[in-house]
Amino acid sequence: MTPEMENAFAEIRRRSGPASIARVERMMETGNQPRHPLQRGAKWVMPGLSQRPWHDPYEYAELAPVVEALESSHPSIKDELSEAWATRQGAFSDYEHYLTRQKDWQALYLFRRGRLVDESASLAPTAFRVIDEMAVEPEKICPLLECHFSTLLPGAAIDPHCDLWNFSINLHLAVDIPDGCGITVAGEHRSWQEGKCLLFDYSFEHEAYNSGTRPRTCLLVDLWHPDTTLPEREALVVLFTEIRRLMGDD
């Protein structure tokens, strides 16, 4: 703990109670919380969060409005994404996942490094507006992570992996889904249904593929896990912002 982190944590405890961030502190102290075998690749597992790979997108009152807004806006989101891909493909970039760059996995970012990517507003105005109004403004999005259109080219595969932690959760809006695509989380295989959302805990091992003949695109949103509290979220932002600063990745 740096002095900056200690001071910030002390202020959160003062405002929210001495036990308000106890789960965050336990995660930091042990670094080896009990976990499902298929979470073994995750670096940080915060105790007390539900250990389920798949979640019903509508089961959480906090997240349901985001899901409803994205699904109801799907036709416009798909049309705008198709136009951007056809006319402004240079705005997409090779996706970098934990220092690995994958050329057959393209990304168009709407939110990154704690802020909206304003340059994408003209390319995907409907998705940009929904994410801003429903996820960014009400602080449901995890500012440590991102929101982007994820496009897998034909023949592309994402190898099995765990993401870094379990205190955020991954929402997928199926934007444009050809035949021959799928995703597996903790050994359970599912297919995207165009215009609908999937929600899963990506601290569990997962993989995806596109065996179709045209690109597969989902809109990915990194949201706070609904089991986390507001004081915990504040402490987690302090913690990982400082870790990234110390690692030279700020």
Side-chain angles (χ1 to χ4, degrees), residues 77-98:
I77 290 174
K78 181 178 180 179
D79 287 347
E80 292 164 4
L81 184 281
S82 298
E83 177 68 15
W85 182 257
T87 63
R88 296 283 302 280
Q89 201 167 132
F92 293 73
S93 59
D94 298 345
Y95 187 65
E96 294 184 48
H97 189 265
Y98 303 128

Side-chain angles (χ1 to χ4, degrees), residues 31-48:
N32 192 24
Q33 295 295 331
R35 61 182 68 189
H36 189 282
L38 289 174
Q39 284 179 305
R40 62 187 179 274
K43 184 172 179 60
W44 303 90
V45 173
M46 190 167 132

Side-chain angles (χ1 to χ4, degrees), residues 19-250:
S20 59
I21 55 174
R23 296 192 298 184
V24 177
E25 293 172 308
R26 287 204 302 274
M27 178 187 74
M28 294 169 59
E29 289 167 0
T30 66
N32 192 24
Q33 295 295 331
R35 61 182 68 189
H36 189 282
L38 289 174
Q39 284 179 305
R40 62 187 179 274
K43 184 172 179 60
W44 303 90
V45 173
M46 190 167 132
L49 306 185
S50 59
Q51 289 191 304
R52 286 186 291 134
W54 288 102
H55 296 250
D56 179 348
Y58 281 95
E59 72 178 284
Y60 301 108
E62 178 183 9
L63 303 186
V66 184
V67 175
E68 292 168 357
L70 288 172
E71 290 185 348
S72 65
S73 300
H74 170 257
S76 296
I77 290 174
K78 181 178 180 179
D79 287 347
E80 292 164 4
L81 184 281
S82 298
E83 177 68 15
W85 182 257
T87 63
R88 296 283 302 280
Q89 201 167 132
F92 293 73
S93 59
D94 298 345
Y95 187 65
E96 294 184 48
H97 189 265
Y98 303 128
L99 305 181
T100 298
R101 182 183 291 270
Q102 192 162 334
K103 292 183 178 298
D104 55 6
W105 182 2
Q106 295 287 294
L108 176 66
Y109 291 92
L110 303 183
F111 182 92
R112 198 180 194 192
R113 297 185 181 275
R115 66 172 185 86
L116 287 162
V117 181
D118 292 333
E119 297 81 0
S120 298
S122 62
L123 296 172
T126 301
F128 190 92
R129 174 185 55 78
V130 171
I131 293 301
D132 185 16
E133 293 178 358
M134 305 304 297
V136 177
E137 284 297 325
E139 299 183 344
K140 298 176 184 180
I141 200 166
C142 179
L144 298 165
L145 293 171
E146 59 203 29
C147 169
H148 66 278
F149 285 100
S150 170
T151 298
L152 280 184
L153 301 184
I158 301 170
D159 292 337
H161 66 284
C162 299
D163 283 305
L164 284 174
W165 54 57
N166 70 331
F167 52 77
S168 61
I169 196 164
N170 201 212
L171 182 70
H172 284 202
L173 171 68
V175 178
D176 189 1
I177 312 297
D179 293 336
C181 295
I183 181 171
T184 301
V185 181
E188 182 178 339
H189 180 79
R190 296 193 183 185
S191 298
W192 294 277
Q193 181 182 349
E194 196 164 297
K196 298 296 182 181
C197 288
L198 292 177
L199 183 68
F200 67 95
D201 180 342
Y202 46 8
S203 67
F204 286 87
E205 185 176 270
H206 55 283
E207 59 186 302
Y209 64 89
N210 177 5
S211 299
T213 58
R214 58 185 178 83
R216 179 241 66 178
T217 299
C218 294
L219 179 63
L220 276 54
V221 194
D222 292 311
L223 299 164
W224 284 113
H225 194 297
D227 289 349
T228 58
T229 66
L230 293 180
E232 288 171 340
R233 295 175 189 184
E234 184 180 355
L236 289 163
V237 170
V238 169
L239 171 62
F240 286 96
T241 298
E242 183 68 0
I243 288 174
R244 288 173 174 175
R245 185 189 69 81
L246 294 171
M247 295 176 63
D249 187 29
D250 57 350

